[in-house]
Amino acid sequence: MSRIFSLNELGHAGSSRLSRPTRPTRELPDIDLDIDDLTDSDTEDEKDQETQLKDAETSNDYEILKRSLINEEFSPEILMYQDKAIDNLDKLIQEQDAVSKEMLVTHERKQFGMLLFSGTDRIKYIMEKYLLCRRNKIETQVLGILSSPIYKERLSTAELTHAEDYKMLLEDYLKAELKLPNDCLEDSIIKTFEKKPDLSKTVFCRVLKNIVPRDAQDTAIQHEPGDVIMDKYAYMRDALKDNSVELI
Amino acid sequence: MYTNSAIRPLIDITKRARETKTILFYERDKVQEICEEIKVLKQATEEINDTESTSEEVHTSPGKLCVYNAMKEKELNAIQLYHFQRIRKTKEAACKETRLPQNEFNRLTNWEQTFYNKYEQLIDNYNSNCPKSLYLNDELHVPKEPHVVVRVMENLERVMTKNGIVEFLKGSQAVVREADSTIAKLINSGYLKKINK
């Protein structure tokens, strides 16, 4: 017949007890250290702090760009171009490439060089995906973007040039290929091919800062950071611009 | 009036074009038939409007106008869908690393060929204004490892990569950095083939 054993019984089962090895205790060294003894000079401290700040900024740029990519993919309209993050990450990639090339030459540091390479590749992937996502959006909504000063401001110089050239190219092609009376189509021939941004599209957002729900009559009720909400994009637009929410 | 009998084949062709990887021939006859019919419908609509405005008796033929406008809209939509699909295919072909094969290029109309060449140039101009370290290609994939093993499909002498000058011998295998733009171009062009493990 089976029995339910208690932990104590199991522990005492058998004639011999298993002895578990105990972690060796280390005694703390008896060193009388003064804060001045820890650093040789103040300049080394400053350099360390600078490096730490730079690292923090770099990881910040990467996080900003990653977040912008996700927002851009889920948003129906074009968002603000992250030129600072792109420039900073481009500089980082160039520096890192130079360092990793040197490391690859030395046998001992080859693996570190490969690690740096894989890090660089990931940053490049995010940057490339971001730029391509924006370029595709610009091409599908070219007329709407160029006719709105708000959207035009959100483009970089290269993107604006690309949008204008693409619009001209498309117009020339459609006018030449489609031999239709002009008034059969809308004002501009491209309008009929245009994919307008659907601002009533439903989006999922994660709250970053406290925001009052749209339908709440009592302002004391707020969405807290970490909450996930679902609403139309048109209502989340302003919160997205303020970085109060992020699209997921 | 053709309407459905002309639109349906064009819509079927558009659907088929969406599923195929290659560019199909341009359906000039079908597009011209529909354009002619749109012009005929437009003339008919104008005649009705003129007749109503000049005659003293009010002949209300809203039904006829409604039908003509609906047919015109249907036909315009069909033409737009078809051309939109062709533009999309041409753009995809222009973004690829390898040039379109001659037999497929010949399936484009003259205007489409001009569009293809100019769009390629547009993409090159855009890429030249982006950070130089990036390689903007529609076929992106998530980098999992810094190096990939490739099989060399053609002899390549003195390829300049970021790690220096490399020589590839046909039939051999090499460990390369896929993120290197030169290597990525060679893989997309078919000179190097990735080996999946």
Side-chain angles (χ1 to χ4, degrees):
Chain A
M1 237 174 115
S2 62
R3 252 185 76 193
I4 297 170
F5 291 93
S6 69
L7 266 175
N8 288 338
E9 286 173 343
L10 287 171
H12 293 298
S15 52
S16 62
R17 258 191 210 183
L18 285 171
S19 59
R20 284 185 189 166
T22 54
R23 194 172 280 181
T25 52
R26 279 191 195 163
E27 287 179 3
L28 291 171
D30 190 17
I31 301 170
D32 189 15
L33 280 176
D34 200 356
I35 192 86
D36 292 331
D37 296 335
L38 291 172
T39 56
D40 288 337
S41 68
D42 291 338
T43 52
E44 277 189 13
D45 257 351
E46 282 172 13
K47 272 186 196 170
D48 282 343
Q49 278 175 15
E50 253 183 60
T51 318
Q52 279 171 15
L53 265 172
K54 209 175 165 189
D55 287 342
E57 276 174 18
T58 307
S59 65
N60 207 17
D61 285 328
Y62 179 71
E63 290 301 320
I64 288 172
L65 193 67
K66 204 165 75 168
R67 177 39 49 200
S68 305
L69 167 64
I70 297 172
N71 285 343
E72 198 72 62
E73 288 201 323
F74 289 112
S75 150
E77 59 177 1
I78 193 106
L79 301 175
M80 201 68 202
Y81 180 67
Q82 302 292 331
D83 52 350
K84 197 176 160 204
I86 293 272
D87 287 340
N88 289 346
L89 289 175
D90 185 36
K91 281 180 200 156
L92 171 73
I93 285 170
Q94 286 171 21
E95 285 165 15
Q96 207 152 301
D97 265 347
V99 168
S100 32
K101 268 184 215 169
E102 285 173 16
M103 282 187 175
L104 283 177
V105 171
T106 324
H107 182 70
E108 292 87 19
R109 302 180 80 189
K110 200 171 181 179
Q111 296 198 357
F112 296 109
M114 280 178 62
L115 276 174
L116 273 182
F117 264 145
S118 58
T120 315
D121 291 349
R122 290 195 181 107
I123 296 174
K124 275 190 195 174
Y125 172 76
I126 296 289
M127 289 172 72
E128 287 161 1
K129 201 146 164 73
Y130 178 71
L131 292 172
L132 277 174
C133 177
R134 285 181 67 87
R135 193 181 81 192
N136 288 337
K137 224 182 233 186
I138 287 167
E139 287 179 5
T140 45
Q141 301 171 14
V142 64
L143 201 63
I145 287 174
L146 290 177
S147 56
S148 158
I150 298 171
Y151 286 151
K152 265 172 107 167
E153 265 180 17
R154 297 178 184 179
L155 304 184
S156 66
T157 320
E159 286 172 344
L160 193 58
T161 316
H162 180 76
E164 285 165 355
D165 292 342
Y166 178 73
K167 184 191 163 208
M168 232 164 25
L169 176 64
L170 201 58
E171 270 179 348
D172 292 342
Y173 164 72
L174 290 172
K175 277 180 187 160
E177 194 73 76
L178 290 179
K179 291 177 179 58
L180 285 171
N182 281 339
D183 55 353
C184 277
L185 302 171
E186 293 181 36
D187 294 334
S188 173
I189 208 162
I190 301 175
K191 253 193 190 171
T192 52
F193 288 82
E194 184 88 329
K195 194 177 168 188
K196 296 186 178 78
D198 181 15
L199 300 180
S200 60
K201 171 186 162 182
T202 309
V203 289
F204 287 89
C205 308
R206 186 179 294 120
V207 177
L208 299 175
K209 297 176 195 168
N210 285 342
I211 55 169
V212 177
R214 185 170 53 88
D215 298 335
Q217 288 163 359
D218 182 10
T219 51
I221 302 170
Q222 288 185 341
H223 288 303
E224 288 175 0
D227 288 351
V228 174
I229 51 180
M230 182 185 83
D231 208 340
K232 287 187 180 174
Y233 176 81
Y235 301 134
M236 291 285 112
R237 239 170 145 187
D238 292 332
L240 186 66
K241 204 176 165 187
D242 294 337
N243 290 330
S244 303
V245 299
E246 59 186 16
L247 296 182
I248 53 171
Chain B
M1 297 286 170
Y2 297 109
T3 320
N4 278 340
S5 60
I7 291 173
R8 183 72 351 216
L10 197 66
I11 291 179
D12 290 340
I13 287 166
T14 309
K15 283 182 188 171
R16 202 167 69 233
R18 197 172 53 191
E19 303 303 322
T20 51
K21 288 184 183 173
T22 55
I23 297 177
L24 303 177
F25 281 101
Y26 184 71
E27 300 288 336
R28 191 171 293 285
D29 297 335
K30 292 188 174 64
V31 171
Q32 272 180 355
E33 269 176 20
I34 297 178
C35 287
E36 286 301 323
E37 190 164 314
I38 290 174
K39 286 176 189 166
V40 164
L41 285 168
K42 182 175 173 286
Q43 276 173 4
T45 317
E46 280 173 0
E47 277 169 18
I48 293 175
N49 287 334
D50 288 341
T51 318
E52 282 193 353
S53 59
T54 52
S55 72
E56 290 175 0
E57 293 173 18
V58 176
H59 291 284
T60 50
S61 52
K64 246 187 185 175
L65 268 177
C66 226
V67 167
Y68 287 168
N69 285 335
M71 281 161 65
K72 209 168 66 178
E73 210 174 301
K74 236 178 168 178
E75 285 166 353
L76 275 173
N77 281 343
I79 285 190
Q80 287 159 30
L81 273 170
Y82 178 66
H83 283 88
F84 180 69
Q85 182 57 37
R86 283 192 75 84
I87 286 172
R88 201 170 72 88
K89 275 272 181 295
T90 313
K91 274 167 50 175
E92 276 172 16
C95 285
K96 285 190 181 153
E97 201 54 51
T98 45
R99 188 125 175 112
L100 206 57
Q102 196 56 40
N103 59 338
E104 270 192 62
F105 191 74
N106 292 339
R107 292 178 197 169
L108 300 174
T109 63
N110 292 337
W111 292 111
E112 282 175 340
Q113 287 174 4
T114 315
F115 181 88
Y116 174 84
N117 291 329
K118 286 190 177 171
Y119 186 73
E120 244 187 353
Q121 187 119 31
L122 215 66
I123 295 295
D124 284 340
N125 290 344
Y126 176 77
N127 289 346
S128 63
N129 289 330
C130 287
K132 301 281 180 284
S133 47
L134 301 180
Y135 173 61
L136 292 173
N137 185 348
D138 277 346
E139 297 160 359
L140 282 180
H141 63 275
V142 181
K144 288 183 184 159
E145 293 167 352
H147 289 81
V148 287
V149 179
V150 293
R151 190 185 308 284
V152 182
M153 307 305 285
E154 299 287 338
N155 279 329
L156 294 165
E157 287 181 5
R158 300 184 64 80
V159 175
M160 186 67 186
T161 66
K162 287 191 177 158
N163 293 342
I165 298 174
V166 183
E167 191 174 333
F168 292 111
L169 293 173
K170 184 176 175 180
S172 64
Q173 287 186 11
V175 176
V176 292
R177 269 200 73 208
E178 200 178 0
D180 190 333
S181 54
T182 316
I183 299 292
K185 278 181 199 171
L186 290 173
I187 291 173
N188 286 333
S189 316
Y191 288 103
L192 302 174
K193 189 177 167 187
K194 276 197 289 188
I195 298 173
N196 291 327
K197 286 191 178 176

